[in-house]
mmCIF file of all heavy atoms in Angstrom:
data_model
loop_
_atom_site.group_PDB
_atom_site.id
_atom_site.type_symbol
_atom_site.label_atom_id
_atom_site.label_comp_id
_atom_site.label_asym_id
_atom_site.label_seq_id
_atom_site.Cartn_x
_atom_site.Cartn_y
_atom_site.Cartn_z
ATOM 1 N N LYS A 1 93.220 73.255 186.432
ATOM 2 C CA LYS A 1 92.604 72.981 185.131
ATOM 3 C C LYS A 1 93.471 72.069 184.274
ATOM 4 O O LYS A 1 92.991 71.446 183.331
ATOM 5 C CB LYS A 1 92.336 74.293 184.386
ATOM 6 C CG LYS A 1 91.134 75.062 184.919
ATOM 7 C CD LYS A 1 90.940 76.358 184.152
ATOM 8 C CE LYS A 1 89.758 77.149 184.685
ATOM 9 N NZ LYS A 1 89.585 78.437 183.976
ATOM 10 N N LYS A 2 94.771 72.009 184.594
ATOM 11 C CA LYS A 2 95.695 71.160 183.831
ATOM 12 C C LYS A 2 96.157 69.939 184.630
ATOM 13 O O LYS A 2 97.020 69.183 184.183
ATOM 14 C CB LYS A 2 96.940 71.977 183.439
ATOM 15 C CG LYS A 2 96.674 73.076 182.443
ATOM 16 C CD LYS A 2 97.991 73.730 182.046
ATOM 17 C CE LYS A 2 97.790 74.720 180.907
ATOM 18 N NZ LYS A 2 99.065 75.271 180.429
ATOM 19 N N THR A 3 95.589 69.759 185.816
ATOM 20 C CA THR A 3 96.096 68.742 186.738
ATOM 21 C C THR A 3 95.255 67.471 186.741
ATOM 22 O O THR A 3 94.035 67.517 186.628
ATOM 23 C CB THR A 3 96.141 69.327 188.169
ATOM 24 O OG1 THR A 3 97.070 70.424 188.186
ATOM 25 C CG2 THR A 3 96.601 68.287 189.190
ATOM 26 N N VAL A 4 95.948 66.326 186.852
ATOM 27 C CA VAL A 4 95.261 65.061 187.160
ATOM 28 C C VAL A 4 95.856 64.504 188.451
ATOM 29 O O VAL A 4 97.051 64.636 188.698
ATOM 30 C CB VAL A 4 95.369 63.999 186.042
ATOM 31 C CG1 VAL A 4 94.506 64.355 184.870
ATOM 32 C CG2 VAL A 4 96.799 63.771 185.605
ATOM 33 N N ARG A 5 94.999 63.922 189.253
ATOM 34 C CA ARG A 5 95.452 63.255 190.480
ATOM 35 C C ARG A 5 95.405 61.758 190.257
ATOM 36 O O ARG A 5 94.398 61.223 189.793
ATOM 37 C CB ARG A 5 94.545 63.633 191.652
ATOM 38 C CG ARG A 5 94.818 65.017 192.190
ATOM 39 C CD ARG A 5 93.881 65.353 193.325
ATOM 40 N NE ARG A 5 94.254 66.610 193.968
ATOM 41 C CZ ARG A 5 93.514 67.203 194.886
ATOM 42 N NH1 ARG A 5 92.363 66.665 195.275
ATOM 43 N NH2 ARG A 5 93.911 68.336 195.439
ATOM 44 N N ILE A 6 96.499 61.108 190.574
ATOM 45 C CA ILE A 6 96.558 59.646 190.416
ATOM 46 C C ILE A 6 97.067 59.046 191.721
ATOM 47 O O ILE A 6 97.739 59.724 192.513
ATOM 48 C CB ILE A 6 97.466 59.241 189.240
ATOM 49 C CG1 ILE A 6 98.882 59.839 189.392
ATOM 50 C CG2 ILE A 6 96.856 59.657 187.908
ATOM 51 C CD1 ILE A 6 99.849 59.437 188.307
ATOM 52 N N GLN A 7 96.739 57.778 191.935
ATOM 53 C CA GLN A 7 97.222 57.134 193.147
ATOM 54 C C GLN A 7 97.431 55.646 192.938
ATOM 55 O O GLN A 7 96.786 55.020 192.102
ATOM 56 C CB GLN A 7 96.289 57.394 194.319
ATOM 57 C CG GLN A 7 94.909 56.783 194.209
ATOM 58 C CD GLN A 7 94.066 57.055 195.451
ATOM 59 O OE1 GLN A 7 94.576 57.207 196.555
ATOM 60 N NE2 GLN A 7 92.747 57.121 195.272
ATOM 61 N N LEU A 8 98.371 55.110 193.687
ATOM 62 C CA LEU A 8 98.611 53.673 193.743
ATOM 63 C C LEU A 8 98.252 53.248 195.151
ATOM 64 O O LEU A 8 98.856 53.712 196.121
ATOM 65 C CB LEU A 8 100.083 53.359 193.449
ATOM 66 C CG LEU A 8 100.474 51.879 193.492
ATOM 67 C CD1 LEU A 8 99.753 51.086 192.406
ATOM 68 C CD2 LEU A 8 101.980 51.717 193.335
ATOM 69 N N LYS A 9 97.235 52.392 195.254
ATOM 70 C CA LYS A 9 96.721 52.054 196.569
ATOM 71 C C LYS A 9 96.832 50.556 196.842
ATOM 72 O O LYS A 9 97.857 50.076 197.272
ATOM 73 C CB LYS A 9 95.273 52.536 196.678
ATOM 74 C CG LYS A 9 94.802 52.836 198.086
ATOM 75 C CD LYS A 9 93.444 53.513 198.034
ATOM 76 C CE LYS A 9 92.898 53.710 199.437
ATOM 77 N NZ LYS A 9 91.536 54.281 199.424
ATOM 78 N N ASN A 10 95.744 49.811 196.547
ATOM 79 C CA ASN A 10 95.711 48.384 196.895
ATOM 80 C C ASN A 10 95.987 47.454 195.728
ATOM 81 O O ASN A 10 96.315 46.284 195.927
ATOM 82 C CB ASN A 10 94.338 48.026 197.489
ATOM 83 C CG ASN A 10 94.047 48.840 198.736
ATOM 84 O OD1 ASN A 10 94.937 49.059 199.556
ATOM 85 N ND2 ASN A 10 92.817 49.308 198.880
ATOM 86 N N ASN A 11 95.839 47.947 194.514
ATOM 87 C CA ASN A 11 96.070 47.134 193.318
ATOM 88 C C ASN A 11 97.231 47.693 192.519
ATOM 89 O O ASN A 11 97.398 48.919 192.459
ATOM 90 C CB ASN A 11 94.813 47.102 192.441
ATOM 91 C CG ASN A 11 93.637 46.459 193.156
ATOM 92 O OD1 ASN A 11 93.762 45.387 193.726
ATOM 93 N ND2 ASN A 11 92.496 47.135 193.152
ATOM 94 N N PRO A 12 98.026 46.823 191.863
ATOM 95 C CA PRO A 12 99.207 47.308 191.131
ATOM 96 C C PRO A 12 98.862 47.916 189.775
ATOM 97 O O PRO A 12 99.430 47.569 188.741
ATOM 98 C CB PRO A 12 100.058 46.043 190.983
ATOM 99 C CG PRO A 12 99.070 44.935 190.947
ATOM 100 C CD PRO A 12 97.931 45.347 191.840
ATOM 101 N N VAL A 13 97.899 48.824 189.783
ATOM 102 C CA VAL A 13 97.532 49.527 188.550
ATOM 103 C C VAL A 13 97.220 50.978 188.889
ATOM 104 O O VAL A 13 96.589 51.263 189.906
ATOM 105 C CB VAL A 13 96.340 48.830 187.833
ATOM 106 C CG1 VAL A 13 95.134 48.739 188.758
ATOM 107 C CG2 VAL A 13 95.963 49.538 186.551
ATOM 108 N N VAL A 14 97.707 51.879 188.057
ATOM 109 C CA VAL A 14 97.471 53.311 188.251
ATOM 110 C C VAL A 14 96.596 53.810 187.104
ATOM 111 O O VAL A 14 96.946 53.629 185.932
ATOM 112 C CB VAL A 14 98.794 54.111 188.275
ATOM 113 C CG1 VAL A 14 98.510 55.590 188.544
ATOM 114 C CG2 VAL A 14 99.751 53.554 189.314
ATOM 115 N N HIS A 15 95.460 54.408 187.439
ATOM 116 C CA HIS A 15 94.550 54.942 186.431
ATOM 117 C C HIS A 15 94.710 56.458 186.346
ATOM 118 O O HIS A 15 94.767 57.129 187.366
ATOM 119 C CB HIS A 15 93.097 54.621 186.787
ATOM 120 C CG HIS A 15 92.769 53.173 186.691
ATOM 121 N ND1 HIS A 15 92.555 52.530 185.498
ATOM 122 C CD2 HIS A 15 92.644 52.208 187.652
ATOM 123 C CE1 HIS A 15 92.291 51.247 185.707
ATOM 124 N NE2 HIS A 15 92.345 51.034 187.017
ATOM 125 N N ALA A 16 94.777 56.957 185.125
ATOM 126 C CA ALA A 16 94.733 58.401 184.897
ATOM 127 C C ALA A 16 93.469 58.662 184.099
ATOM 128 O O ALA A 16 93.476 58.551 182.873
ATOM 129 C CB ALA A 16 95.966 58.870 184.141
ATOM 130 N N PRO A 17 92.356 58.951 184.800
ATOM 131 C CA PRO A 17 91.081 59.068 184.090
ATOM 132 C C PRO A 17 91.111 60.077 182.944
ATOM 133 O O PRO A 17 90.779 59.723 181.837
ATOM 134 C CB PRO A 17 90.094 59.464 185.178
ATOM 135 C CG PRO A 17 90.733 59.026 186.448
ATOM 136 C CD PRO A 17 92.212 59.138 186.222
ATOM 137 N N PRO A 18 91.530 61.335 183.141
ATOM 138 C CA PRO A 18 91.638 62.153 181.940
ATOM 139 C C PRO A 18 93.094 62.479 181.626
ATOM 140 O O PRO A 18 93.797 63.079 182.421
ATOM 141 C CB PRO A 18 90.881 63.422 182.323
ATOM 142 C CG PRO A 18 91.058 63.543 183.815
ATOM 143 C CD PRO A 18 91.513 62.217 184.336
ATOM 144 N N ILE A 19 93.562 62.064 180.439
ATOM 145 C CA ILE A 19 94.832 62.636 179.948
ATOM 146 C C ILE A 19 94.498 63.595 178.812
ATOM 147 O O ILE A 19 95.370 64.117 178.143
ATOM 148 C CB ILE A 19 95.850 61.566 179.494
ATOM 149 C CG1 ILE A 19 95.258 60.648 178.416
ATOM 150 C CG2 ILE A 19 96.359 60.756 180.680
ATOM 151 C CD1 ILE A 19 96.305 59.842 177.668
ATOM 152 N N GLY A 20 93.181 63.805 178.610
ATOM 153 C CA GLY A 20 92.712 64.713 177.582
ATOM 154 C C GLY A 20 91.361 64.254 177.065
ATOM 155 O O GLY A 20 90.703 63.418 177.688
ATOM 156 N N THR A 21 90.975 64.788 175.919
ATOM 157 C CA THR A 21 89.712 64.405 175.288
ATOM 158 C C THR A 21 89.977 63.999 173.836
ATOM 159 O O THR A 21 90.998 64.380 173.246
ATOM 160 C CB THR A 21 88.702 65.569 175.317
ATOM 161 O OG1 THR A 21 89.351 66.758 174.844
ATOM 162 C CG2 THR A 21 88.175 65.806 176.717
ATOM 163 N N GLU A 22 89.046 63.239 173.273
ATOM 164 C CA GLU A 22 89.262 62.657 171.945
ATOM 165 C C GLU A 22 89.402 63.689 170.832
ATOM 166 O O GLU A 22 89.939 63.372 169.761
ATOM 167 C CB GLU A 22 88.133 61.679 171.614
ATOM 168 C CG GLU A 22 86.758 62.314 171.523
ATOM 169 C CD GLU A 22 85.657 61.320 171.210
ATOM 170 O OE1 GLU A 22 85.972 60.224 170.707
ATOM 171 O OE2 GLU A 22 84.480 61.639 171.477
ATOM 172 N N ASP A 23 88.952 64.926 171.071
ATOM 173 C CA ASP A 23 89.083 65.940 170.030
ATOM 174 C C ASP A 23 90.431 66.669 170.069
ATOM 175 O O ASP A 23 90.696 67.557 169.262
ATOM 176 C CB ASP A 23 87.936 66.962 170.120
ATOM 177 C CG ASP A 23 87.819 67.619 171.491
ATOM 178 O OD1 ASP A 23 88.562 67.206 172.420
ATOM 179 O OD2 ASP A 23 86.987 68.523 171.659
ATOM 180 N N MET A 24 91.311 66.264 171.000
ATOM 181 C CA MET A 24 92.645 66.852 171.077
ATOM 182 C C MET A 24 93.586 66.206 170.068
ATOM 183 O O MET A 24 93.380 65.072 169.636
ATOM 184 C CB MET A 24 93.219 66.699 172.499
ATOM 185 C CG MET A 24 92.587 67.618 173.522
ATOM 186 S SD MET A 24 93.176 67.296 175.222
ATOM 187 C CE MET A 24 94.922 67.719 175.088
ATOM 188 N N ASP A 25 94.631 66.937 169.717
ATOM 189 C CA ASP A 25 95.653 66.458 168.790
ATOM 190 C C ASP A 25 96.352 65.210 169.357
ATOM 191 O O ASP A 25 96.628 65.131 170.554
ATOM 192 C CB ASP A 25 96.669 67.590 168.580
ATOM 193 C CG ASP A 25 97.818 67.190 167.703
ATOM 194 O OD1 ASP A 25 97.634 67.112 166.488
ATOM 195 O OD2 ASP A 25 98.913 66.931 168.261
ATOM 196 N N ASP A 26 96.641 64.230 168.493
ATOM 197 C CA ASP A 26 97.265 62.971 168.925
ATOM 198 C C ASP A 26 98.598 63.198 169.626
ATOM 199 O O ASP A 26 98.891 62.570 170.646
ATOM 200 C CB ASP A 26 97.481 62.040 167.714
ATOM 201 C CG ASP A 26 96.175 61.615 167.055
ATOM 202 O OD1 ASP A 26 95.136 61.641 167.743
ATOM 203 O OD2 ASP A 26 96.202 61.262 165.866
ATOM 204 N N GLU A 27 99.410 64.070 169.063
ATOM 205 C CA GLU A 27 100.730 64.356 169.643
ATOM 206 C C GLU A 27 100.601 64.955 171.047
ATOM 207 O O GLU A 27 101.349 64.600 171.959
ATOM 208 C CB GLU A 27 101.510 65.331 168.742
ATOM 209 C CG GLU A 27 101.937 64.756 167.410
ATOM 210 C CD GLU A 27 103.255 63.990 167.482
ATOM 211 O OE1 GLU A 27 103.897 64.029 168.556
ATOM 212 O OE2 GLU A 27 103.609 63.349 166.488
ATOM 213 N N LYS A 28 99.633 65.854 171.201
ATOM 214 C CA LYS A 28 99.443 66.486 172.512
ATOM 215 C C LYS A 28 98.950 65.479 173.548
ATOM 216 O O LYS A 28 99.382 65.498 174.707
ATOM 217 C CB LYS A 28 98.474 67.667 172.390
ATOM 218 C CG LYS A 28 99.081 68.853 171.647
ATOM 219 C CD LYS A 28 98.106 70.014 171.527
ATOM 220 C CE LYS A 28 98.778 71.194 170.829
ATOM 221 N NZ LYS A 28 97.854 72.325 170.643
ATOM 222 N N LEU A 29 98.063 64.587 173.128
ATOM 223 C CA LEU A 29 97.603 63.534 174.037
ATOM 224 C C LEU A 29 98.764 62.622 174.435
ATOM 225 O O LEU A 29 98.876 62.215 175.591
ATOM 226 C CB LEU A 29 96.487 62.719 173.381
ATOM 227 C CG LEU A 29 95.106 63.387 173.339
ATOM 228 C CD1 LEU A 29 94.186 62.657 172.373
ATOM 229 C CD2 LEU A 29 94.476 63.424 174.726
ATOM 230 N N ALA A 30 99.622 62.312 173.462
ATOM 231 C CA ALA A 30 100.785 61.462 173.750
ATOM 232 C C ALA A 30 101.738 62.138 174.735
ATOM 233 O O ALA A 30 102.291 61.497 175.634
ATOM 234 C CB ALA A 30 101.515 61.114 172.457
ATOM 235 N N GLU A 31 101.914 63.451 174.591
ATOM 236 C CA GLU A 31 102.778 64.190 175.528
ATOM 237 C C GLU A 31 102.176 64.200 176.931
ATOM 238 O O GLU A 31 102.900 64.095 177.924
ATOM 239 C CB GLU A 31 103.001 65.617 175.023
ATOM 240 C CG GLU A 31 103.986 65.708 173.879
ATOM 241 C CD GLU A 31 104.214 67.149 173.425
ATOM 242 O OE1 GLU A 31 104.317 68.044 174.298
ATOM 243 O OE2 GLU A 31 104.277 67.373 172.208
ATOM 244 N N ASN A 32 100.861 64.331 177.004
ATOM 245 C CA ASN A 32 100.186 64.254 178.305
ATOM 246 C C ASN A 32 100.382 62.873 178.929
ATOM 247 O O ASN A 32 100.666 62.747 180.132
ATOM 248 C CB ASN A 32 98.691 64.540 178.152
ATOM 249 C CG ASN A 32 98.382 66.030 178.035
ATOM 250 O OD1 ASN A 32 99.271 66.867 178.138
ATOM 251 N ND2 ASN A 32 97.126 66.355 177.810
ATOM 252 N N ALA A 33 100.215 61.827 178.102
ATOM 253 C CA ALA A 33 100.407 60.449 178.582
ATOM 254 C C ALA A 33 101.833 60.250 179.078
ATOM 255 O O ALA A 33 102.071 59.634 180.127
ATOM 256 C CB ALA A 33 100.090 59.461 177.458
ATOM 257 N N GLU A 34 102.769 60.808 178.348
ATOM 258 C CA GLU A 34 104.187 60.692 178.714
ATOM 259 C C GLU A 34 104.469 61.369 180.053
ATOM 260 O O GLU A 34 105.230 60.848 180.882
ATOM 261 C CB GLU A 34 105.035 61.322 177.602
ATOM 262 C CG GLU A 34 106.525 61.044 177.716
ATOM 263 C CD GLU A 34 107.273 61.581 176.508
ATOM 264 O OE1 GLU A 34 107.021 62.738 176.100
ATOM 265 O OE2 GLU A 34 108.119 60.854 175.986
ATOM 266 N N ALA A 35 103.849 62.521 180.280
ATOM 267 C CA ALA A 35 104.040 63.235 181.552
ATOM 268 C C ALA A 35 103.561 62.392 182.726
ATOM 269 O O ALA A 35 104.231 62.304 183.770
ATOM 270 C CB ALA A 35 103.297 64.570 181.522
ATOM 271 N N VAL A 36 102.394 61.739 182.567
ATOM 272 C CA VAL A 36 101.858 60.875 183.632
ATOM 273 C C VAL A 36 102.767 59.670 183.831
ATOM 274 O O VAL A 36 103.104 59.298 184.959
ATOM 275 C CB VAL A 36 100.417 60.423 183.297
ATOM 276 C CG1 VAL A 36 99.927 59.403 184.313
ATOM 277 C CG2 VAL A 36 99.479 61.628 183.274
ATOM 278 N N LEU A 37 103.161 59.066 182.726
ATOM 279 C CA LEU A 37 104.015 57.869 182.789
ATOM 280 C C LEU A 37 105.343 58.168 183.480
ATOM 281 O O LEU A 37 105.798 57.413 184.348
ATOM 282 C CB LEU A 37 104.250 57.364 181.365
ATOM 283 C CG LEU A 37 104.793 55.953 181.153
ATOM 284 C CD1 LEU A 37 103.998 54.917 181.931
ATOM 285 C CD2 LEU A 37 104.815 55.609 179.677
ATOM 286 N N ASN A 38 105.957 59.295 183.125
ATOM 287 C CA ASN A 38 107.231 59.670 183.745
ATOM 288 C C ASN A 38 107.084 59.927 185.237
ATOM 289 O O ASN A 38 107.962 59.576 186.036
ATOM 290 C CB ASN A 38 107.817 60.912 183.062
ATOM 291 C CG ASN A 38 108.371 60.603 181.678
ATOM 292 O OD1 ASN A 38 108.658 59.450 181.363
ATOM 293 N ND2 ASN A 38 108.503 61.611 180.837
ATOM 294 N N ALA A 39 105.966 60.549 185.623
ATOM 295 C CA ALA A 39 105.725 60.820 187.046
ATOM 296 C C ALA A 39 105.615 59.512 187.828
ATOM 297 O O ALA A 39 106.137 59.384 188.942
ATOM 298 C CB ALA A 39 104.450 61.642 187.217
ATOM 299 N N ILE A 40 104.937 58.521 187.238
ATOM 300 C CA ILE A 40 104.797 57.209 187.894
ATOM 301 C C ILE A 40 106.149 56.505 187.976
ATOM 302 O O ILE A 40 106.540 56.002 189.034
ATOM 303 C CB ILE A 40 103.772 56.331 187.134
ATOM 304 C CG1 ILE A 40 102.365 56.937 187.258
ATOM 305 C CG2 ILE A 40 103.783 54.891 187.660
ATOM 306 C CD1 ILE A 40 101.346 56.341 186.313
ATOM 307 N N ILE A 41 106.866 56.488 186.858
ATOM 308 C CA ILE A 41 108.177 55.817 186.807
ATOM 309 C C ILE A 41 109.130 56.398 187.846
ATOM 310 O O ILE A 41 109.881 55.679 188.502
ATOM 311 C CB ILE A 41 108.762 55.907 185.372
ATOM 312 C CG1 ILE A 41 108.004 54.937 184.455
ATOM 313 C CG2 ILE A 41 110.254 55.598 185.349
ATOM 314 C CD1 ILE A 41 108.311 55.093 182.971
ATOM 315 N N ASN A 42 109.077 57.727 188.011
ATOM 316 C CA ASN A 42 109.963 58.392 188.986
ATOM 317 C C ASN A 42 109.671 57.987 190.432
ATOM 318 O O ASN A 42 110.516 58.156 191.311
ATOM 319 C CB ASN A 42 109.859 59.911 188.853
ATOM 320 C CG ASN A 42 110.545 60.424 187.597
ATOM 321 O OD1 ASN A 42 111.410 59.753 187.038
ATOM 322 N ND2 ASN A 42 110.153 61.606 187.140
ATOM 323 N N LYS A 43 108.456 57.466 190.685
ATOM 324 C CA LYS A 43 108.092 57.037 192.040
ATOM 325 C C LYS A 43 108.454 55.573 192.311
ATOM 326 O O LYS A 43 108.375 55.116 193.444
ATOM 327 C CB LYS A 43 106.581 57.217 192.267
ATOM 328 C CG LYS A 43 106.121 58.656 192.328
ATOM 329 C CD LYS A 43 106.677 59.418 193.511
ATOM 330 C CE LYS A 43 106.044 58.976 194.820
ATOM 331 N NZ LYS A 43 106.506 59.806 195.959
#
């Protein structure tokens, strides 16, 4: 329920379709975005 799956395949762009919904707090959405970004950077 808290997981997103992302992949880097044939194009140099990684999409994270849901990092949340528009009714969520801005700070919480930013923290979610940061978690995805850090996971990508670590790879």
